[in-house]
PDB file of all heavy atoms in Angstrom:
ATOM      1  N   LEU G 162     218.296 211.805 -29.002  1.00 98.00           N
ATOM      2  CA  LEU G 162     217.093 211.732 -29.825  1.00 98.00           C
ATOM      3  C   LEU G 162     217.125 210.462 -30.661  1.00 98.00           C
ATOM      4  O   LEU G 162     218.147 210.142 -31.273  1.00 98.00           O
ATOM      5  CB  LEU G 162     216.991 212.955 -30.736  1.00 98.00           C
ATOM      6  CG  LEU G 162     216.922 214.309 -30.026  1.00 98.00           C
ATOM      7  CD1 LEU G 162     216.762 215.423 -31.048  1.00 98.00           C
ATOM      8  CD2 LEU G 162     215.801 214.344 -29.012  1.00 98.00           C
ATOM      9  N   VAL G 163     216.001 209.762 -30.686  1.00 97.00           N
ATOM     10  CA  VAL G 163     215.908 208.506 -31.417  1.00 97.00           C
ATOM     11  C   VAL G 163     214.694 208.576 -32.339  1.00 97.00           C
ATOM     12  O   VAL G 163     213.564 208.771 -31.867  1.00 97.00           O
ATOM     13  CB  VAL G 163     215.766 207.303 -30.464  1.00 97.00           C
ATOM     14  CG1 VAL G 163     215.901 205.994 -31.248  1.00 97.00           C
ATOM     15  CG2 VAL G 163     216.808 207.369 -29.350  1.00 97.00           C
ATOM     16  N   VAL G 164     214.919 208.449 -33.644  1.00 98.00           N
ATOM     17  CA  VAL G 164     213.831 208.402 -34.617  1.00 98.00           C
ATOM     18  C   VAL G 164     213.510 206.931 -34.848  1.00 98.00           C
ATOM     19  O   VAL G 164     214.396 206.128 -35.166  1.00 98.00           O
ATOM     20  CB  VAL G 164     214.222 209.098 -35.929  1.00 98.00           C
ATOM     21  CG1 VAL G 164     213.075 209.057 -36.928  1.00 98.00           C
ATOM     22  CG2 VAL G 164     214.622 210.547 -35.649  1.00 98.00           C
ATOM     23  N   ARG G 165     212.235 206.571 -34.690  1.00 97.00           N
ATOM     24  CA  ARG G 165     211.837 205.166 -34.654  1.00 97.00           C
ATOM     25  C   ARG G 165     210.649 204.921 -35.580  1.00 97.00           C
ATOM     26  O   ARG G 165     209.938 205.862 -35.955  1.00 97.00           O
ATOM     27  CB  ARG G 165     211.477 204.764 -33.221  1.00 97.00           C
ATOM     28  CG  ARG G 165     212.563 205.108 -32.238  1.00 97.00           C
ATOM     29  CD  ARG G 165     212.097 205.092 -30.794  1.00 97.00           C
ATOM     30  NE  ARG G 165     211.890 203.738 -30.297  1.00 97.00           N
ATOM     31  CZ  ARG G 165     211.423 203.479 -29.073  1.00 97.00           C
ATOM     32  NH1 ARG G 165     211.106 204.468 -28.255  1.00 97.00           N
ATOM     33  NH2 ARG G 165     211.272 202.219 -28.693  1.00 97.00           N
ATOM     34  N   ALA G 166     210.430 203.662 -35.922  1.00 97.00           N
ATOM     35  CA  ALA G 166     209.282 203.255 -36.742  1.00 97.00           C
ATOM     36  C   ALA G 166     208.535 202.142 -36.017  1.00 97.00           C
ATOM     37  O   ALA G 166     209.156 201.242 -35.433  1.00 97.00           O
ATOM     38  CB  ALA G 166     209.741 202.782 -38.112  1.00 97.00           C
ATOM     39  N   PHE G 167     207.200 202.211 -36.068  1.00 97.00           N
ATOM     40  CA  PHE G 167     206.358 201.198 -35.436  1.00 97.00           C
ATOM     41  C   PHE G 167     205.354 200.678 -36.466  1.00 97.00           C
ATOM     42  O   PHE G 167     204.788 201.462 -37.234  1.00 97.00           O
ATOM     43  CB  PHE G 167     205.618 201.780 -34.238  1.00 97.00           C
ATOM     44  CG  PHE G 167     206.521 202.078 -33.063  1.00 97.00           C
ATOM     45  CD1 PHE G 167     207.228 203.275 -32.999  1.00 97.00           C
ATOM     46  CD2 PHE G 167     206.665 201.152 -32.039  1.00 97.00           C
ATOM     47  CE1 PHE G 167     208.065 203.540 -31.926  1.00 97.00           C
ATOM     48  CE2 PHE G 167     207.500 201.416 -30.964  1.00 97.00           C
ATOM     49  CZ  PHE G 167     208.203 202.607 -30.897  1.00 97.00           C
ATOM     50  N   ASP G 168     205.129 199.358 -36.449  1.00 97.00           N
ATOM     51  CA  ASP G 168     204.180 198.771 -37.385  1.00 97.00           C
ATOM     52  C   ASP G 168     202.746 198.977 -36.896  1.00 97.00           C
ATOM     53  O   ASP G 168     202.527 199.496 -35.793  1.00 97.00           O
ATOM     54  CB  ASP G 168     204.512 197.300 -37.642  1.00 97.00           C
ATOM     55  CG  ASP G 168     204.225 196.382 -36.451  1.00 97.00           C
ATOM     56  OD1 ASP G 168     203.512 196.796 -35.514  1.00 97.00           O
ATOM     57  OD2 ASP G 168     204.709 195.241 -36.466  1.00 97.00           O
ATOM     58  N   PRO G 169     201.736 198.592 -37.686  1.00 97.00           N
ATOM     59  CA  PRO G 169     200.336 198.833 -37.298  1.00 97.00           C
ATOM     60  C   PRO G 169     199.936 198.177 -35.973  1.00 97.00           C
ATOM     61  O   PRO G 169     198.974 198.602 -35.329  1.00 97.00           O
ATOM     62  CB  PRO G 169     199.539 198.262 -38.467  1.00 97.00           C
ATOM     63  CG  PRO G 169     200.455 198.406 -39.634  1.00 97.00           C
ATOM     64  CD  PRO G 169     201.818 198.119 -39.080  1.00 97.00           C
ATOM     65  N   ASP G 170     200.694 197.138 -35.540  1.00 97.00           N
ATOM     66  CA  ASP G 170     200.396 196.470 -34.275  1.00 97.00           C
ATOM     67  C   ASP G 170     201.122 197.107 -33.092  1.00 97.00           C
ATOM     68  O   ASP G 170     201.022 196.618 -31.966  1.00 97.00           O
ATOM     69  CB  ASP G 170     200.773 194.986 -34.362  1.00 97.00           C
ATOM     70  CG  ASP G 170     199.906 194.231 -35.368  1.00 97.00           C
ATOM     71  OD1 ASP G 170     198.714 194.573 -35.503  1.00 97.00           O
ATOM     72  OD2 ASP G 170     200.435 193.324 -36.031  1.00 97.00           O
ATOM     73  N   GLY G 171     201.878 198.181 -33.355  1.00 96.00           N
ATOM     74  CA  GLY G 171     202.590 198.856 -32.286  1.00 96.00           C
ATOM     75  C   GLY G 171     203.950 198.272 -31.966  1.00 96.00           C
ATOM     76  O   GLY G 171     204.578 198.667 -30.973  1.00 96.00           O
ATOM     77  N   LYS G 172     204.448 197.359 -32.798  1.00 97.00           N
ATOM     78  CA  LYS G 172     205.764 196.764 -32.582  1.00 97.00           C
ATOM     79  C   LYS G 172     206.824 197.595 -33.288  1.00 97.00           C
ATOM     80  O   LYS G 172     206.671 197.953 -34.459  1.00 97.00           O
ATOM     81  CB  LYS G 172     205.792 195.330 -33.111  1.00 97.00           C
ATOM     82  CG  LYS G 172     207.130 194.626 -32.908  1.00 97.00           C
ATOM     83  CD  LYS G 172     207.109 193.214 -33.468  1.00 97.00           C
ATOM     84  CE  LYS G 172     208.458 192.528 -33.297  1.00 97.00           C
ATOM     85  NZ  LYS G 172     208.457 191.158 -33.870  1.00 97.00           N
ATOM     86  N   GLU G 173     207.910 197.888 -32.562  1.00 97.00           N
ATOM     87  CA  GLU G 173     208.970 198.670 -33.178  1.00 97.00           C
ATOM     88  C   GLU G 173     209.686 197.863 -34.252  1.00 97.00           C
ATOM     89  O   GLU G 173     209.959 196.672 -34.093  1.00 97.00           O
ATOM     90  CB  GLU G 173     209.991 199.136 -32.143  1.00 97.00           C
ATOM     91  CG  GLU G 173     211.081 200.005 -32.752  1.00 97.00           C
ATOM     92  CD  GLU G 173     211.968 200.697 -31.747  1.00 97.00           C
ATOM     93  OE1 GLU G 173     211.881 200.353 -30.550  1.00 97.00           O
ATOM     94  OE2 GLU G 173     212.737 201.586 -32.149  1.00 97.00           O
ATOM     95  N   VAL G 174     210.016 198.546 -35.359  1.00 97.00           N
ATOM     96  CA  VAL G 174     210.773 197.937 -36.456  1.00 97.00           C
ATOM     97  C   VAL G 174     212.226 198.365 -36.305  1.00 97.00           C
ATOM     98  O   VAL G 174     212.536 199.569 -36.326  1.00 97.00           O
ATOM     99  CB  VAL G 174     210.222 198.394 -37.824  1.00 97.00           C
ATOM    100  CG1 VAL G 174     210.992 197.718 -38.950  1.00 97.00           C
ATOM    101  CG2 VAL G 174     208.732 198.094 -37.931  1.00 97.00           C
ATOM    102  N   LEU G 175     213.115 197.395 -36.121  1.00 97.00           N
ATOM    103  CA  LEU G 175     214.544 197.658 -36.008  1.00 97.00           C
ATOM    104  C   LEU G 175     215.256 197.181 -37.266  1.00 97.00           C
ATOM    105  O   LEU G 175     214.735 196.356 -38.014  1.00 97.00           O
ATOM    106  CB  LEU G 175     215.111 196.962 -34.764  1.00 97.00           C
ATOM    107  CG  LEU G 175     214.537 197.462 -33.435  1.00 97.00           C
ATOM    108  CD1 LEU G 175     214.975 196.549 -32.291  1.00 97.00           C
ATOM    109  CD2 LEU G 175     214.944 198.903 -33.158  1.00 97.00           C
ATOM    110  N   PHE G 176     216.461 197.686 -37.481  1.00 94.00           N
ATOM    111  CA  PHE G 176     217.158 197.462 -38.740  1.00 94.00           C
ATOM    112  C   PHE G 176     218.584 197.006 -38.484  1.00 94.00           C
ATOM    113  O   PHE G 176     219.151 197.236 -37.414  1.00 94.00           O
ATOM    114  CB  PHE G 176     217.168 198.756 -39.573  1.00 94.00           C
ATOM    115  CG  PHE G 176     215.798 199.305 -39.832  1.00 94.00           C
ATOM    116  CD1 PHE G 176     215.196 200.166 -38.918  1.00 94.00           C
ATOM    117  CD2 PHE G 176     215.097 198.948 -40.967  1.00 94.00           C
ATOM    118  CE1 PHE G 176     213.916 200.664 -39.149  1.00 94.00           C
ATOM    119  CE2 PHE G 176     213.824 199.440 -41.202  1.00 94.00           C
ATOM    120  CZ  PHE G 176     213.241 200.302 -40.287  1.00 94.00           C
ATOM    121  N   GLU G 177     219.191 196.396 -39.501  1.00 91.00           N
ATOM    122  CA  GLU G 177     220.605 196.034 -39.460  1.00 91.00           C
ATOM    123  C   GLU G 177     221.413 197.292 -39.740  1.00 91.00           C
ATOM    124  O   GLU G 177     221.406 197.815 -40.860  1.00 91.00           O
ATOM    125  CB  GLU G 177     220.916 194.971 -40.508  1.00 91.00           C
ATOM    126  CG  GLU G 177     222.350 194.499 -40.513  1.00 91.00           C
ATOM    127  CD  GLU G 177     222.654 193.477 -39.434  1.00 91.00           C
ATOM    128  OE1 GLU G 177     221.719 192.784 -38.991  1.00 91.00           O
ATOM    129  OE2 GLU G 177     223.836 193.379 -39.046  1.00 91.00           O
ATOM    130  N   GLY G 178     222.092 197.813 -38.715  1.00 88.00           N
ATOM    131  CA  GLY G 178     222.825 199.065 -38.865  1.00 88.00           C
ATOM    132  C   GLY G 178     224.316 198.845 -39.027  1.00 88.00           C
ATOM    133  O   GLY G 178     224.834 197.731 -38.854  1.00 88.00           O
ATOM    134  N   ALA G 179     225.027 199.909 -39.347  1.00 83.00           N
ATOM    135  CA  ALA G 179     226.475 199.825 -39.512  1.00 83.00           C
ATOM    136  C   ALA G 179     227.179 199.530 -38.193  1.00 83.00           C
ATOM    137  O   ALA G 179     228.229 198.882 -38.171  1.00 83.00           O
ATOM    138  CB  ALA G 179     227.003 201.140 -40.099  1.00 83.00           C
ATOM    139  N   ASN G 180     226.604 200.020 -37.082  1.00 83.00           N
ATOM    140  CA  ASN G 180     227.243 199.852 -35.780  1.00 83.00           C
ATOM    141  C   ASN G 180     226.499 198.908 -34.849  1.00 83.00           C
ATOM    142  O   ASN G 180     226.995 198.620 -33.758  1.00 83.00           O
ATOM    143  CB  ASN G 180     227.371 201.214 -35.084  1.00 83.00           C
ATOM    144  CG  ASN G 180     228.311 202.143 -35.802  1.00 83.00           C
ATOM    145  OD1 ASN G 180     229.340 201.709 -36.305  1.00 83.00           O
ATOM    146  ND2 ASN G 180     227.960 203.410 -35.870  1.00 83.00           N
ATOM    147  N   ASP G 181     225.322 198.459 -35.226  1.00 90.00           N
ATOM    148  CA  ASP G 181     224.515 197.640 -34.322  1.00 90.00           C
ATOM    149  C   ASP G 181     223.566 196.786 -35.161  1.00 90.00           C
ATOM    150  O   ASP G 181     222.959 197.287 -36.110  1.00 90.00           O
ATOM    151  CB  ASP G 181     223.726 198.534 -33.362  1.00 90.00           C
ATOM    152  CG  ASP G 181     223.186 197.788 -32.160  1.00 90.00           C
ATOM    153  OD1 ASP G 181     222.360 196.876 -32.339  1.00 90.00           O
ATOM    154  OD2 ASP G 181     223.582 198.125 -31.027  1.00 90.00           O
ATOM    155  N   PRO G 182     223.397 195.499 -34.834  1.00 90.00           N
ATOM    156  CA  PRO G 182     222.525 194.643 -35.633  1.00 90.00           C
ATOM    157  C   PRO G 182     221.038 194.898 -35.416  1.00 90.00           C
ATOM    158  O   PRO G 182     220.223 194.385 -36.183  1.00 90.00           O
ATOM    159  CB  PRO G 182     222.908 193.230 -35.176  1.00 90.00           C
ATOM    160  CG  PRO G 182     223.456 193.409 -33.803  1.00 90.00           C
ATOM    161  CD  PRO G 182     224.133 194.741 -33.807  1.00 90.00           C
ATOM    162  N   LYS G 183     220.673 195.657 -34.382  1.00 94.00           N
ATOM    163  CA  LYS G 183     219.277 196.013 -34.135  1.00 94.00           C
ATOM    164  C   LYS G 183     219.247 197.486 -33.786  1.00 94.00           C
ATOM    165  O   LYS G 183     219.446 197.877 -32.645  1.00 94.00           O
ATOM    166  CB  LYS G 183     218.694 195.184 -32.979  1.00 94.00           C
ATOM    167  CG  LYS G 183     218.647 193.691 -33.230  1.00 94.00           C
ATOM    168  CD  LYS G 183     218.102 192.963 -32.003  1.00 94.00           C
ATOM    169  CE  LYS G 183     218.099 191.447 -32.206  1.00 94.00           C
ATOM    170  NZ  LYS G 183     217.640 190.736 -30.986  1.00 94.00           N
ATOM    171  N   THR G 184     218.989 198.299 -34.796  1.00 95.00           N
ATOM    172  CA  THR G 184     219.086 199.739 -34.596  1.00 95.00           C
ATOM    173  C   THR G 184     217.821 200.446 -35.066  1.00 95.00           C
ATOM    174  O   THR G 184     217.136 199.961 -35.970  1.00 95.00           O
ATOM    175  CB  THR G 184     220.323 200.296 -35.347  1.00 95.00           C
ATOM    176  OG1 THR G 184     220.510 201.671 -35.030  1.00 95.00           O
ATOM    177  CG2 THR G 184     220.161 200.149 -36.843  1.00 95.00           C
ATOM    178  N   PRO G 185     217.471 201.585 -34.453  1.00 97.00           N
ATOM    179  CA  PRO G 185     216.326 202.361 -34.932  1.00 97.00           C
ATOM    180  C   PRO G 185     216.674 203.102 -36.216  1.00 97.00           C
ATOM    181  O   PRO G 185     217.792 202.985 -36.733  1.00 97.00           O
ATOM    182  CB  PRO G 185     216.056 203.319 -33.772  1.00 97.00           C
ATOM    183  CG  PRO G 185     217.400 203.513 -33.139  1.00 97.00           C
ATOM    184  CD  PRO G 185     218.096 202.189 -33.269  1.00 97.00           C
ATOM    185  N   LEU G 186     215.719 203.897 -36.710  1.00 97.00           N
ATOM    186  CA  LEU G 186     215.934 204.617 -37.970  1.00 97.00           C
ATOM    187  C   LEU G 186     217.137 205.556 -37.910  1.00 97.00           C
ATOM    188  O   LEU G 186     217.943 205.615 -38.819  1.00 97.00           O
ATOM    189  CB  LEU G 186     214.687 205.422 -38.327  1.00 97.00           C
ATOM    190  CG  LEU G 186     213.526 204.650 -38.932  1.00 97.00           C
ATOM    191  CD1 LEU G 186     212.342 205.579 -39.145  1.00 97.00           C
ATOM    192  CD2 LEU G 186     213.933 204.003 -40.245  1.00 97.00           C
ATOM    193  N   SER G 187     217.240 206.321 -36.829  1.00 96.00           N
ATOM    194  CA  SER G 187     218.351 207.255 -36.718  1.00 96.00           C
ATOM    195  C   SER G 187     218.440 207.770 -35.287  1.00 96.00           C
ATOM    196  O   SER G 187     217.496 207.639 -34.498  1.00 96.00           O
ATOM    197  CB  SER G 187     218.177 208.431 -37.688  1.00 96.00           C
ATOM    198  OG  SER G 187     219.363 209.205 -37.732  1.00 96.00           O
ATOM    199  N   GLN G 188     219.593 208.392 -34.989  1.00 96.00           N
ATOM    200  CA  GLN G 188     219.811 208.942 -33.653  1.00 96.00           C
ATOM    201  C   GLN G 188     220.617 210.229 -33.750  1.00 96.00           C
ATOM    202  O   GLN G 188     221.327 210.471 -34.722  1.00 96.00           O
ATOM    203  CB  GLN G 188     220.563 207.938 -32.775  1.00 96.00           C
ATOM    204  CG  GLN G 188     219.854 206.605 -32.626  1.00 96.00           C
ATOM    205  CD  GLN G 188     220.540 205.684 -31.644  1.00 96.00           C
ATOM    206  OE1 GLN G 188     220.716 206.027 -30.471  1.00 96.00           O
ATOM    207  NE2 GLN G 188     220.942 204.505 -32.106  1.00 96.00           N
ATOM    208  N   GLY G 189     220.502 211.044 -32.711  1.00 96.00           N
ATOM    209  CA  GLY G 189     221.278 212.271 -32.610  1.00 96.00           C
ATOM    210  C   GLY G 189     221.524 212.604 -31.146  1.00 96.00           C
ATOM    211  O   GLY G 189     220.777 212.158 -30.269  1.00 96.00           O
ATOM    212  N   TRP G 190     222.560 213.392 -30.890  1.00 96.00           N
ATOM    213  CA  TRP G 190     222.946 213.695 -29.518  1.00 96.00           C
ATOM    214  C   TRP G 190     223.386 215.149 -29.419  1.00 96.00           C
ATOM    215  O   TRP G 190     223.928 215.717 -30.365  1.00 96.00           O
ATOM    216  CB  TRP G 190     224.145 212.851 -29.076  1.00 96.00           C
ATOM    217  CG  TRP G 190     224.004 211.380 -29.249  1.00 96.00           C
ATOM    218  CD1 TRP G 190     223.630 210.478 -28.302  1.00 96.00           C
ATOM    219  CD2 TRP G 190     224.270 210.609 -30.423  1.00 96.00           C
ATOM    220  NE1 TRP G 190     223.633 209.210 -28.812  1.00 96.00           N
ATOM    221  CE2 TRP G 190     224.019 209.252 -30.114  1.00 96.00           C
ATOM    222  CE3 TRP G 190     224.674 210.932 -31.714  1.00 96.00           C
ATOM    223  CZ2 TRP G 190     224.171 208.226 -31.038  1.00 96.00           C
ATOM    224  CZ3 TRP G 190     224.812 209.912 -32.631  1.00 96.00           C
ATOM    225  CH2 TRP G 190     224.570 208.578 -32.292  1.00 96.00           C
ATOM    226  N   LEU G 191     223.210 215.728 -28.229  1.00 98.00           N
ATOM    227  CA  LEU G 191     223.765 217.053 -27.957  1.00 98.00           C
ATOM    228  C   LEU G 191     223.849 217.270 -26.453  1.00 98.00           C
ATOM    229  O   LEU G 191     222.892 217.000 -25.724  1.00 98.00           O
ATOM    230  CB  LEU G 191     222.912 218.170 -28.576  1.00 98.00           C
ATOM    231  CG  LEU G 191     223.460 219.581 -28.367  1.00 98.00           C
ATOM    232  CD1 LEU G 191     224.782 219.778 -29.115  1.00 98.00           C
ATOM    233  CD2 LEU G 191     222.446 220.635 -28.803  1.00 98.00           C
ATOM    234  N   ARG G 192     224.994 217.760 -26.010  1.00 98.00           N
ATOM    235  CA  ARG G 192     225.138 218.228 -24.628  1.00 98.00           C
ATOM    236  C   ARG G 192     224.698 219.687 -24.596  1.00 98.00           C
ATOM    237  O   ARG G 192     225.193 220.514 -25.363  1.00 98.00           O
ATOM    238  CB  ARG G 192     226.575 218.070 -24.153  1.00 98.00           C
ATOM    239  CG  ARG G 192     226.825 218.589 -22.756  1.00 98.00           C
ATOM    240  CD  ARG G 192     228.053 217.974 -22.123  1.00 98.00           C
ATOM    241  NE  ARG G 192     227.803 216.575 -21.788  1.00 98.00           N
ATOM    242  CZ  ARG G 192     228.695 215.777 -21.181  1.00 98.00           C
ATOM    243  NH1 ARG G 192     229.884 216.258 -20.849  1.00 98.00           N
ATOM    244  NH2 ARG G 192     228.393 214.528 -20.910  1.00 98.00           N
TER     245      ARG G 192
END
């Protein structure tokens, strides 16, 4: 699961994360 943000033009906004320099808002996983 990936929680993401998009600007009014439909472009995704990525962030400087602890583990990746271009990361979405948040993520989660489950088997």
